[in-house]
Every structure is written in C-alpha cells, then in structure tokens.
Amino acid sequence: YLEDSPKLVSQILAALSNRDSAALITPAHTLKSSSANLGAKRLSAMALDMEKCGKAGDIQGPTQGAKHLIFEFEQVKTALNALLSEPDGN
C-alpha cells in the first residue's frame, strides 16, 4: 500500500490537471479498494466519489476535492507508518 498508493494519488492528480475524467477512473477505483482493505474509510469514500465523477465525465467536483484527498492520504500514510514502527512489529 505504501509503495503503490502514492503512484495512484499522482495518477489521480495528473488526470485532474489534464482535465481527463476517463484517466481518473482506474486510479481512483484502485485507491478506493486498497484503502477500504486497510480500513481507511474516509479516503476510500473520497476515491469512490472521484471514480463516480470520472465515470460521469465530471472533472470539476474531483478537482475541488483534490486537496482533501491529499490531506487524507497523508493522514492514512502517517497512521500506517506509525503502526508499522510499533515495537511489537504490528
């Protein structure tokens, strides 16, 4: 997750920057699923919203939510790194 998710976020941001709603769908879908598997529900929901917008051809909504997605992703990353660095190895 920590290796692949930053790439997905970058792909989402590139799709938004290029105003390419079709290019938004796959990375948003993948981030949604992998985040849900970790229990990162808020990030998963944000990615789902972006996926839906991509499918609808709407680039404006996701563009406005990009800062929130980045912030939430950083929160998830920080929490996951903290868990991984616990002394018991969990």
Side-chain angles (χ1 to χ4, degrees):
Y1 184 87
L2 290 173
E3 189 174 310
D4 293 335
S5 294
K7 296 172 192 172
L8 296 170
V9 171
S10 291
Q11 290 171 359
I12 289 169
L13 296 176
L16 295 175
S17 177
N18 294 328
R19 306 193 55 75
D20 186 348
S21 60
L24 180 61
I25 298 168
T26 298
H29 175 82
T30 305
L31 182 63
K32 171 198 72 175
S33 299
S34 59
S35 296
N37 285 337
L38 284 180
K41 294 178 183 180
R42 197 172 9 207
L43 181 58
S44 180
M46 290 176 169
L48 172 62
D49 288 343
M50 289 195 169
E51 178 186 5
K52 286 179 180 178
C53 287
K55 288 179 178 178
D58 172 19
I59 204 72
Q60 186 62 34
T63 299
Q64 293 174 349
K67 287 182 183 178
H68 298 290
L69 179 88
I70 293 167
F71 177 80
E72 188 62 28
F73 176 67
E74 290 300 323
Q75 298 286 35
V76 169
K77 225 171 51 171
T78 299
L80 189 53
N81 278 321
L83 283 172
L84 292 173
S85 66
E86 288 182 1
D88 64 0
N90 291 327

